[in-house]
Amino acid sequence: MKEYLYTAFKNAEKIIPELAEISISFDVPKILEHGDLSSNAAMLLSKKLKKNPRVIAQEIIDALSLDSAVIQKTEIAGPGFINFFFTPRATAEILKDIFKQVDNFGRSTKYSGKKANIEFVSANPTGPLTVGHGRNAIIGDTIANLLEAIGYRVDREYYFNNAGRQMRVLGDSVRLRYLELLGNKNDFPADYYQGEYIKDIAKSLFNEFGDKLKDEDAEGLFKEVAEREIFKDIKKTLDNLGVHHNIFFNENSLYEEGKIAALLESFKEKNLSYEKDGAVWLKLSELGQEEDKVIVKNTGEPTYRLPDIAYHIEKIKRGYDLLIDLFGSDHNATYPDVMAGIRALGYDSSKVKVLIHQFVTIVQGGEVVKMSTRKANFITLDELTEEVGKDVVRYFFNMRNISSHMVFDLELAKKQSDENPVFYLQYAHARISSIMREVKRESLEPSLNNLHLLTTNHEQNLLKVLHNFNEKLLYSAENFEAHLLCNYLEELAAAYHRFHRFCRILGSEKNLAEARLALAVATKIVLKNGLTILGVSAPEKM
RNA sequence: GCCCCCGUAGCUCAGUGGAUAGAGCAGAAGUUUCCUAAACUUUUGGUCGGAGGUUCGAUUCCUCUCGGGGGUACCA
């Protein structure tokens, strides 16, 4: 419908040349009485033409030469809006597109041939994923789905580190638990990993090796086994949610391939680093940042900045058109340094898009639960998924703006899961599936031959919502905002449920029944396409 | 101190500079001989944290301010 108006406005430039100077756009009015689409062009021109916007609006309408088979009427409203009302028949044309494209309806080829990479989760293998990681995992995977829907080829990447202090402590935690099993009492340090999973790993080592490991050091087998087991669990947890990375990038490989040493050398050559107090500093204050930061500690170990810069350079070299980093807000201070480092070495950081999501506040029994992997005070993502199911977890994390500090009330999620909006969407899909089973008895087929019969408010409204899918999906993907897709699908489901209540298929005259059936089937297609992008199932029965 | 995010209905949250700020839940009243009532209809509930500014028009953009969260490491 918009395309029609864009063309009409374009042609009207011959009569009102100033139309070419403003950006023409059409909004779907919030209120039904304001028509199907509205334009603010007259208001935008009012200053330029020094005329009352309502007068200009009339001149625009006169210049448009609209087809009455498409546009039923136009009106000038409020300060100078032009409202367009489409004929029911023109509105129903959308069903033809949906039936033609089916699973591909809504998908776009706008970014075909482009490659994107999204790095997300990226938790080091020190313990099970928590509910907090869940938000990152779901947002990341859904953004990847959205990008694929608009044509990108997407790599899902997981960056991790199995070296460093964190992992040493992990290995030693397992070692101490293992020694406990051999009867050696020890003071298990408070800053070690307290979780039961550490004891489980120690137990499996004890079962396999008996006391043969009592003189092993923490860095060897203990750490290796802990990492392997924990990673296995993490992948299982993600698998349960339908999240699959196709690239796992180990920070260690940057050291092994000499990338870290080379990077350090480049900074030195470019006179961007210096030594002070036994450490190597990066001159970030000369690169637009607040202050210089350490890149190699006086212990000889790099800080995270150095490998992070090296890692991003590696990704940039792979030739992506878009590189997304998805972090929790606790990392929000780290990326500007990394970007500055990349730019300083002459790499293009403009393709890197950093997305920061805010924390999930867990509330249990009316109290905020503070999460810490080390203290083993957390609710695992697995526990949550088992409690409420994959669809609820995915929908819950997708339905809110990533910048919102969301509250996750565990009791509510478990107890009142029936009231989660995801069931509202799925139920609409299941209802249509049910109708499709029923109509077979009456030998009704969806038909596009009598779409002019779809004239009631409920039918027309549903059709109009269907019209919006392409645009909403594209906008949602280009802005990395999956919650907009959720909002849209809720609107679609609501429109369908109303249609379902007031416009019966079985029992209606055949031509009308088949036109309505086409509308229902089209709705089912769009619901399913949307839910699939969210990673939520579209059940045939509930 | 400085940086990022948030503040909208009792609660959880939408809101792409536009017209009368919305949804779900919770509260009130209804709808089923009928394709699934996990639904639908009606209804109560708002100084959009506050104050300035830009604009024909601000919940939306800017400045200041108050409140909450996260950072500001030779942790990541």
Side-chain angles (χ1 to χ4, degrees):
Chain A
M1 299 204 287
K2 274 191 188 178
E3 287 70 28
Y4 179 80
L5 288 181
Y6 276 121
T7 309
F9 269 73
K10 194 77 197 158
N11 292 337
E13 283 173 15
K14 288 177 204 127
I15 299 163
I16 308 175
E18 288 83 1
L19 281 172
E21 295 167 28
I22 56 170
S23 84
I24 303 291
S25 67
F26 302 100
D27 289 322
V28 180
K30 288 182 211 161
I31 299 163
L32 199 66
E33 288 73 39
H34 292 157
D36 298 323
L37 286 174
S38 110
S39 166
N40 63 352
M43 279 124 85
L44 295 175
L45 283 178
S46 116
K47 212 168 209 179
K48 215 175 286 262
L49 299 177
K50 297 195 168 55
K51 270 195 260 186
N52 184 321
R54 292 186 66 105
V55 173
I56 299 169
Q58 188 56 53
E59 290 173 8
I60 294 174
I61 291 171
D62 293 341
L64 282 175
S65 72
L66 299 167
D67 182 351
S68 65
V70 179
I71 303 293
Q72 198 161 45
K73 67 164 177 168
T74 56
E75 65 175 25
I76 300 163
F81 290 104
I82 306 170
N83 294 337
F84 298 92
F85 295 77
F86 284 77
T87 60
R89 190 173 200 139
T91 304
E93 288 292 304
I94 189 73
L95 297 187
K96 293 181 180 170
D97 290 342
I98 298 173
F99 272 75
K100 204 158 98 189
Q101 300 177 49
V102 196
D103 289 351
N104 284 323
F105 181 77
R107 299 181 79 87
S108 133
T109 52
K110 184 168 175 185
Y111 295 89
S112 289
K114 302 273 185 191
K115 274 169 57 185
N117 175 292
I118 176 162
E119 183 220 323
F120 63 112
V121 185
S122 296
N124 283 342
T126 60
L129 296 183
T130 66
V131 173
H133 295 118
R135 187 173 199 189
N136 188 291
I138 299 308
I139 291 169
D141 187 55
T142 304
I143 289 173
N145 289 346
L146 280 167
L147 294 176
E148 285 170 343
I150 60 171
Y152 277 102
R153 221 207 65 211
V154 182
D155 282 328
R156 293 165 169 80
E157 185 151 333
Y158 190 123
Y159 177 69
F160 69 102
N161 181 17
N162 54 2
R165 198 194 68 91
Q166 234 187 350
M167 293 299 291
R168 272 201 305 280
V169 171
L170 177 75
D172 209 35
S173 299
V174 174
R175 190 181 65 89
L176 292 180
R177 292 304 190 201
Y178 170 81
L179 292 177
E180 281 175 10
L181 290 172
L182 298 182
N184 293 18
K185 290 265 179 279
N186 59 61
D187 293 325
F188 196 82
D191 61 347
Y192 271 33
Y193 292 93
Q194 307 286 330
E196 283 300 311
Y197 63 96
I198 299 291
K199 293 182 186 171
D200 293 341
I201 294 165
K203 205 169 288 170
S204 72
L205 282 170
F206 175 75
N207 290 341
E208 190 176 348
F209 296 99
D211 69 349
K212 285 189 207 135
L213 305 177
K214 64 178 187 290
D215 297 321
E216 281 282 321
D217 63 19
E219 295 264 20
L221 197 60
F222 290 110
K223 195 179 94 171
E224 271 170 42
V225 172
E227 179 196 335
R228 196 177 63 223
E229 290 301 309
I230 292 169
F231 232 127
K232 204 166 80 190
D233 285 347
I234 286 176
K235 285 180 187 172
K236 187 76 178 49
T237 301
L238 293 173
D239 181 54
N240 289 340
L241 288 168
V243 176
H244 302 102
H245 293 83
N246 62 319
I247 298 175
F248 285 83
F249 192 99
N250 189 342
E251 181 185 324
N252 259 356
S253 64
L254 295 168
Y255 294 89
E256 286 159 5
E257 292 166 19
K259 300 279 167 59
I260 301 293
L263 178 60
L264 208 48
E265 190 56 34
S266 306
F267 280 134
K268 198 173 164 187
E269 267 172 28
K270 290 195 168 359
N271 196 27
L272 290 167
S273 63
Y274 60 90
E275 288 194 35
K276 192 181 85 178
D277 304 330
V280 181
W281 297 68
L282 188 60
K283 292 184 182 171
L284 283 164
S285 60
E286 290 180 12
L287 301 172
Q289 299 305 113
E290 287 236 326
E291 51 189 0
D292 295 349
K293 294 279 173 62
V294 169
I295 49 174
V296 182
K297 304 181 214 172
N298 60 17
T299 60
E301 256 180 327
T303 65
Y304 69 89
R305 289 182 193 91
L306 199 55
D308 267 15
I309 293 169
Y311 173 50
H312 279 84
I313 291 172
E314 282 309 296
K315 286 199 287 192
I316 288 170
K317 282 183 177 169
R318 285 188 232 153
Y320 292 108
D321 300 288
L322 173 66
L323 275 168
I324 296 178
D325 286 351
L326 179 63
F327 300 138
S329 66
D330 54 337
H331 285 246
N332 79 62
T334 67
Y335 75 90
D337 294 348
V338 173
M339 294 297 157
I342 291 168
R343 278 193 298 270
L345 295 175
Y347 293 97
D348 178 10
S349 69
S350 69
K351 285 173 180 163
V352 181
K353 174 78 185 171
V354 178
L355 301 177
I356 306 274
H357 66 85
Q358 296 301 313
F359 275 4
V360 181
T361 304
I362 310 293
V363 175
Q364 190 168 31
E367 281 185 33
V368 174
V369 182
K370 287 274 173 200
M371 308 269 260
S372 156
T373 303
R374 202 154 10 80
K375 291 179 190 150
N377 178 21
F378 51 76
I379 289 127
T380 68
L381 189 51
D382 268 340
E383 286 164 353
L384 181 70
T385 309
E386 275 165 37
E387 285 283 351
V388 302
K390 169 189 155 187
D391 287 344
V392 171
V393 173
R394 286 200 66 121
Y395 197 81
F396 201 98
F397 284 128
N398 273 327
M399 69 189 276
R400 294 195 179 141
N401 194 319
I402 70 167
S403 68
S404 108
H405 300 257
M406 66 180 283
V407 173
F408 202 127
D409 187 322
L410 285 169
E411 266 83 29
L412 211 68
K414 293 172 192 173
K415 192 176 64 188
Q416 304 197 354
S417 60
D418 280 9
E419 285 154 11
N420 190 302
V422 68
F423 295 110
Y424 186 76
L425 307 188
Q426 292 182 318
Y427 183 52
H429 186 270
R431 274 185 138 178
I432 301 169
S433 307
S434 172
I435 291 174
M436 289 170 72
R437 289 189 294 269
E438 292 297 321
V439 293
K440 285 191 182 137
R441 280 190 321 209
E442 313 280 329
S443 11
L444 291 171
E445 293 288 339
S447 162
L448 301 173
N449 295 331
N450 292 291
L451 298 181
H452 63 280
L453 297 174
L454 301 175
T455 55
T456 69
N457 284 344
H458 298 105
E459 289 158 332
Q460 284 291 305
N461 182 51
L462 180 52
L463 285 163
K464 285 169 194 169
V465 177
L466 290 173
H467 269 276
N468 296 335
F469 184 57
N470 288 289
E471 194 178 312
K472 294 276 182 178
L473 181 55
L474 181 63
Y475 188 89
S476 184
E478 287 182 327
N479 292 282
F480 319 111
E481 295 193 334
H483 75 283
L484 297 177
L485 180 56
C486 294
N487 292 350
Y488 170 79
L489 291 174
E490 285 175 38
E491 193 191 345
L492 176 60
Y496 177 76
H497 283 307
R498 279 195 295 275
F499 160 79
H500 183 96
R501 166 72 181 74
F502 293 106
C503 304
R504 297 193 56 76
I505 291 172
L506 292 176
S508 294
E509 180 274 325
K510 189 164 190 280
N511 284 342
L512 177 60
E514 294 196 330
R516 283 180 172 171
L517 187 54
L519 176 54
V521 171
T523 304
K524 182 177 190 277
I525 289 168
V526 174
L527 277 171
K528 185 173 183 202
N529 290 357
L531 286 169
T532 301
I533 288 166
L534 295 174
V536 173
S537 68
E540 299 289 317
K541 272 184 187 173
M542 282 177 78

